[in-house]
Amino acid sequence: MSDMILNPESYFRQLVGERDDLLKELELEAENQDIPIIGPLVAELLYVLARVTGAVSILELGTATGYSGIYLAKAAAENGGKLVTIEWSREMARRAAKNFQRAGLSHAVDICEGDALEILESLEGPFDMVFLDIDKEFYVKVLPRIGDVIKDSGLLVADNVGFKDADAFNRAIADSSRWKGVNLFAFLPGHSPEKDGLCFAMAQ
Ligand SMILES: C[S@@+](CC[C@H](N)C(=O)[O-])C[C@H]1O[C@@H](n2cnc3c(N)ncnc32)[C@H](O)[C@@H]1O
């Protein structure tokens, strides 16, 4: 019987595409230093979503070293736009700036250093796409303001919605008339932890 049926996890793991040296370095660094980055599969998914939706103005909450931001900024730049990314750790923001520069994407990224809740108050939008990846207990707190700055029919993607701290967020999306949300609980190769969820929600 084929590996696809016997061992779907290893089957799908081997299909994850190649990355360039910088991205591979950031993956290794994340593994060694316990930095929870999204990994190549979710990153490609974000890139594809940003490109097919033609997202020109993209907002990310939770930059870390800029791994997901590189994919989002690349998509935004190819769509003729920009990424705004928020990070409260000065050290991470500094590392991300260096990595965006190494990726040749500095022109397509604005890094906002500070608490996402506070920074969001000063952002006007409208954003075509928002990627949410800060500490999970803050998801529900930032959700109303994301609803203000995202355009109607804009796409919100939230990572790690299988974590218990994301429960209030998941329920808020389900109960809110502003959002049409779908939660996927999935095996995502290279994503940590690998059995986790992603939320896709459309602003309406
Ligand atoms: C999961 S990591 C982001 C990983 C990144 N999106 C990637 O996949 O490459 C979460 C980051 O959000 C930052 N963070 C957590 N809570 C935050 C908040 N309330 N405001 C701003 N940054 C926050 C953390 O310092 C951390 O660097």
Side-chain angles (χ1 to χ4, degrees):
M1 214 178 287
S2 83
D3 200 30
M4 190 172 178
I5 296 163
L6 287 175
N7 194 342
E9 293 191 0
S10 62
Y11 172 77
F12 282 108
R13 196 187 295 275
Q14 74 183 346
L15 295 177
V16 176
E18 261 306 303
R19 279 87 64 212
D20 67 21
D21 288 347
L22 172 61
L23 292 169
K24 283 198 273 198
E25 181 189 313
L26 297 185
E27 287 167 18
L28 195 65
E29 181 189 74
E31 204 179 310
N32 293 336
Q33 298 176 20
D34 250 343
I35 302 167
I37 63 167
I38 52 174
L41 192 127
V42 178
E44 286 285 356
L45 175 61
L46 290 180
Y47 173 82
V48 168
L49 288 171
R51 288 306 311 278
V52 297
T53 57
V56 168
S57 183
I58 303 180
L59 173 66
E60 175 181 62
L61 287 73
T63 320
T65 56
Y67 180 84
S68 52
I70 288 174
Y71 285 85
L72 288 168
K74 186 167 181 285
E78 286 167 2
N79 289 338
K82 235 179 165 178
L83 170 72
V84 175
T85 182
I86 306 175
E87 172 59 55
W88 67 6
S89 154
R90 175 158 296 178
E91 157 74 2
M92 284 297 172
R94 190 189 55 75
R95 286 167 66 170
K98 195 169 129 221
N99 292 327
F100 290 131
Q101 189 181 31
R102 291 174 70 196
L105 287 165
S106 296
H107 66 286
V109 188
D110 285 334
I111 304 176
C112 300
E113 201 184 303
D115 186 330
L117 206 51
E118 283 170 26
I119 302 270
L120 269 172
E121 289 303 322
S122 64
L123 296 178
E124 277 186 12
F127 292 96
D128 303 313
M129 178 174 170
V130 178
F131 176 51
L132 180 55
D133 195 20
I134 53 176
D135 291 356
K136 311 313 150 193
E137 72 261 33
F138 300 124
Y139 277 22
V140 71
K141 295 187 177 140
V142 293
L143 185 62
R145 186 62 191 151
I146 292 174
D148 291 339
V149 297
I150 198 167
K151 71 170 188 185
D152 289 343
S153 299
L155 174 67
L156 167 63
V157 181
D159 196 21
N160 310 123
V161 293
F163 287 13
K164 76 170 173 24
D165 280 347
D167 175 53
F169 167 85
N170 292 331
R171 290 176 192 278
I173 289 275
D175 291 345
S176 167
S177 57
R178 176 66 171 141
W179 300 102
K180 176 84 187 150
V182 179
N183 279 307
L184 293 185
F185 181 68
F187 170 72
L188 302 162
H191 187 258
S192 176
E194 294 198 333
K195 291 195 176 63
D196 191 5
L198 279 171
C199 172
F200 302 91
M202 180 184 79
Q204 59 182 6

